[in-house]
Amino acid sequence: MPTDLRQSWPAPTNPKPIVIIGAGGIIRDAHLPAYRQAELPVSGVTDVDHRRARALADDYGLSNVYPSVAQAANANGTSVVYDIATPPHVITNILPNLPDHAAVLIQKPMGVDQDQAREIRQICRDKKMKAAINFQLRFSPMMMAVQTAVMSGRLGDLLEIEVHLNIFTSWNLFPFLIPMKRVEIAVHSIHYLDSIRAVAGNPDGVFARSMRDPRAEDFAQTRTSVILDYGDRLRSLMSINHNHQNGRKFQSAWFRFEGTDGTMMVKLGVCYDYPNGEADELWFCRKGGNWERIPLEGSWFIDAFMGPMRNVQRFDNGEDSELHSGVEDAYQTMALVEACYKAMKHPAEPLLVD
């Protein structure tokens, strides 16, 4: 069993305080618990809903509540790291208010589409920001272990990457998604596309369909099929169904990474009975051997949320040479998402039986 697989991002030596922009649920449920666990200091918060910002500050003992993003930036300059956790369509309004050369972590997705992602990238370039997107699944213990195993040749030549979800997601937990035209890929499966890219790089192209389901009729799409074209050597596909209402027995949520010398299976525990979830799991099988479970140092929720902020902090102080999910790389994930939506507009090859 491999015991030397990297599962976490190293901590910064001298972390800067963090200022939160946006005091919503993801901050309460993931960011702040992860930062507390990682001993990363958080000094302040701002939100368009001042009462929500004040409540967050009171609950987490934050020293400062700023009336606006501009006032937070004026008060702190580049002495802090800004953690933006807002709806994606307002990111382009927030970034111009932050100081040049600021260190910034931006909640995914990188805008609502590739055009906004391009605009976000340009703002970050113009202001010379040290900016990354919070694609945290690639920082989870299980996915970091997979990345290490693949890059070190532990699986041999990579031949298969498959994502399979057949689960029940309570979509009523996300009413803000109801008016959105792009839902499943843009909000959920974007994590899987990004994690595949982190392991295998960019595909040459993509085939995709994402669709509505009458069991979640208020939402534009809750089922997705994707084939990623990596040529004639690596096969990669995703089959996603969020509407399985027939009990736990045949639910599934996993990645399969298979190579010439071995295979790894990743269980996405948080997907079962979300947001309660189950434990993540990582399994490894050498070619012809037995399956062995690899102990994990944590989970996607909340441990993965430590990694992106640690990486931004370390890049900002010179301890890391690159941003693992920097805006330049994250833009390519947004381009892949856009390619999926464009592929949906192309008709399938008709079946000719005469």
Side-chain angles (χ1 to χ4, degrees), residues 311-329:
N311 181 214
V312 169
Q313 294 261 7
R314 287 174 58 88
F315 182 78
D316 184 44
N317 67 23
E319 290 181 285
D320 281 351
S321 60
E322 64 178 2
L323 289 167
H324 188 43
S325 60
V327 292
E328 300 293 336
D329 184 80

Side-chain angles (χ1 to χ4, degrees), residues 8 16 26 31 44 179 214 234 238 244 300 304 306 322 329 335 345 347:
S8 62
K16 287 182 176 179
I26 193 66
H31 291 232
L234 172 60
M238 295 169 32
H244 180 75
W300 179 1
M306 294 188 287
E322 64 178 2
D329 184 80
K345 298 178 181 179

